[in-house]
Amino acid sequence: MTEKDFIPASYSKELESGSVTYQSPSNIALVKYWGKHGQQLPQNASVSFTLNHCRTTTTLFFEPKADEAFEVSVLLDGVSKPDFEPKILQFFERVETYLPLLRKYRFRIETTNSFPHSSGIASSASGMSALSMCLMDMEQQLLEHPMSDDRRKQKASFISRLGSGSASRSIEGPIVLWGTHPDVSGSSDLFGIPYHLPVHPIFAAYKDTILLVDKGEKQVSSSVGHNLMHDHAYAQRRFNEANANISRLAEVFEAGDLTAFIEIVESEALQLHAMMMTSIPYFILMKPNTLEIINRIWAFRKETSIPVCFTLDAGANVHVLYPDAHAAAVDQFIKADLASYCKNGEFIQDQTGFGASAVI
């Protein structure tokens, strides 16, 4: 499949003024995507848990207009955000070939997040995927022969990727793979796919408690971080390792081997941060409390034999991952021991979910 397959035939219908609403979750990568080429294409495949509670709800209002210029306004929690508009316009420019409807309507985007603003949780994945689902809903209404649900979600993932690479993994769930990988048929750099290889029941309803160590803006934007991989001394070795870890993870998912799962997931998190620490310029994204939490998770796991582990995004916050069967013990450990290392004691309890959906 190529990009040309996502260019629609001419629209056979027209829409009056209206609105569509979708909600879409964030996701947490188990095998990390870090480094890209071309137009938002990954240097290695990645695999993620789709979350459930950390989500963005977006209503897209539209009305026909005569001129051909893009026109969009953005409101977050009911407050006008003109500083968001350049990013949306850049997104429109990237995807207009695949969504020619964008120049024919005036848009107002009203969006809200279920997680606190500036909580340190990236909203680009949930925000861009929710917006993409809204736009795909519009396109469905314009086509003489609407797409199948699977095809529509595939294109939504493709469109999302052009706004935020990780957004491509938020359309589906509970486990999504993005990037071409020889072990996974149908995998593509162009869009994410539901992970269809065997998965042991122990990974169902997997828990993710997000410890909010640092609620400020990212020290380094994702775009800057990805660009640092272009001339990185260890980049190719890292890309190879990520793809090898997806092969290992396939065996782990099938067998339900939590010891190996923990080893892969924690190693992937630390490799991500190692790449930032060894880039030019170099950055340390973890905070002292990040390291304290990691050490306490390791000690708790050793003392109790409970298979709890951590992963990290490109920041200081810690995602604590654990099976549902151990939720009571781990939740108590988080409240009694780890919460004190979070800013204002704040954390968010989440679990795996099933991707984007319409809000009626």
Side-chain angles (χ1 to χ4, degrees), residues 26-320:
S26 188
N27 66 78
I28 180 64
L30 307 174
V31 173
K32 308 296 185 181
Y33 139 69
W34 200 245
K36 58 188 177 183
H37 66 97
Q39 196 168 48
Q40 297 283 95
L41 298 172
Q43 290 281 13
N44 62 265
S46 59
V47 103
S48 61
F49 278 154
T50 305
L51 298 182
N52 187 51
H53 304 311
C54 291
R55 56 179 55 243
T56 297
T57 300
T58 294
T59 299
L60 181 67
F61 295 88
F62 55 88
E63 59 177 325
K65 62 184 183 64
D67 64 86
E68 289 290 306
F70 293 131
E71 189 172 339
V72 62
S73 59
V74 182
L75 288 85
L76 174 64
D77 298 326
V79 178
S80 177
K81 292 290 183 179
D83 52 319
F84 284 15
E85 292 165 16
K87 184 173 183 179
I88 299 298
L89 291 172
Q90 181 188 56
F91 172 60
F92 280 8
E93 288 170 358
R94 286 179 177 176
V95 304
E96 68 165 315
T97 300
Y98 314 103
L99 287 172
L101 63 89
L102 292 173
R103 290 192 180 274
K104 300 180 182 300
Y105 296 88
R106 178 178 298 109
F107 296 102
R108 185 173 83 253
I109 300 168
E110 295 189 3
T111 190
T112 184
N113 297 323
S114 66
F115 45 91
H117 184 57
S118 297
S119 65
I121 299 174
S123 59
S124 59
S126 55
M128 281 297 180
S129 55
L131 174 58
S132 295
M133 288 295 288
C134 289
L135 291 168
M136 289 308 304
D137 191 299
M138 281 187 68
E139 183 167 84
Q140 283 284 77
Q141 298 179 57
L142 291 166
L143 293 171
E144 182 178 0
H145 301 291
M147 291 173 276
S148 67
D149 188 56
D150 287 346
R151 176 66 170 170
R152 180 173 59 91
K153 288 183 177 179
Q154 189 180 79
K155 183 170 178 178
S157 177
F158 171 83
I159 294 298
S160 296
R161 188 201 90 240
L162 294 170
S164 165
S166 59
S168 67
R169 299 191 306 250
S170 282
I171 301 295
E172 303 266 23
I175 303 173
V176 173
L177 182 139
W178 170 42
T180 302
H181 195 279
D183 293 351
V184 186
S185 63
S187 60
S188 174
D189 287 352
L190 300 179
F191 48 83
I193 64 169
Y195 186 82
H196 54 70
L197 298 181
V199 177
H200 192 281
I202 200 165
F203 293 107
Y206 221 78
K207 301 295 185 181
D208 178 4
T209 296
I210 306 157
L211 306 182
L212 304 179
V213 174
D214 184 8
K215 295 175 63 179
E217 286 190 15
K218 286 183 178 180
Q219 180 184 346
V220 184
S221 72
S222 294
S223 294
V224 170
H226 284 290
N227 286 338
L228 291 173
M229 295 296 284
H230 289 315
D231 300 312
H232 200 295
Y234 310 123
Q236 192 57 55
R237 182 69 182 88
R238 164 60 201 156
F239 303 147
N240 294 342
E241 180 72 6
N243 285 321
N245 276 338
I246 288 180
S247 297
R248 298 183 191 111
L249 198 57
E251 299 175 2
V252 168
F253 276 146
E254 182 171 8
D257 184 345
L258 292 182
T259 299
F261 175 79
I262 288 168
E263 182 180 273
I264 292 169
V265 169
E266 292 189 342
S267 172
E268 277 285 319
L270 295 174
Q271 284 186 48
L272 170 64
H273 283 257
M275 298 309 287
M276 292 299 290
M277 287 189 281
T278 53
S279 65
I280 300 295
Y282 39 81
F283 299 92
I284 298 177
L285 303 182
M286 289 185 275
K287 302 292 184 183
N289 282 359
T290 308
L291 295 173
E292 187 62 38
I293 287 168
I294 289 171
N295 279 303
R296 287 180 176 270
I297 289 172
W298 284 343
F300 177 80
R301 189 167 71 219
K302 183 176 181 180
E303 291 166 6
T304 64
S305 297
I306 290 174
V308 57
C309 68
F310 73 88
T311 189
L312 307 165
D313 271 335
N317 296 333
V318 181
H319 290 249
V320 186

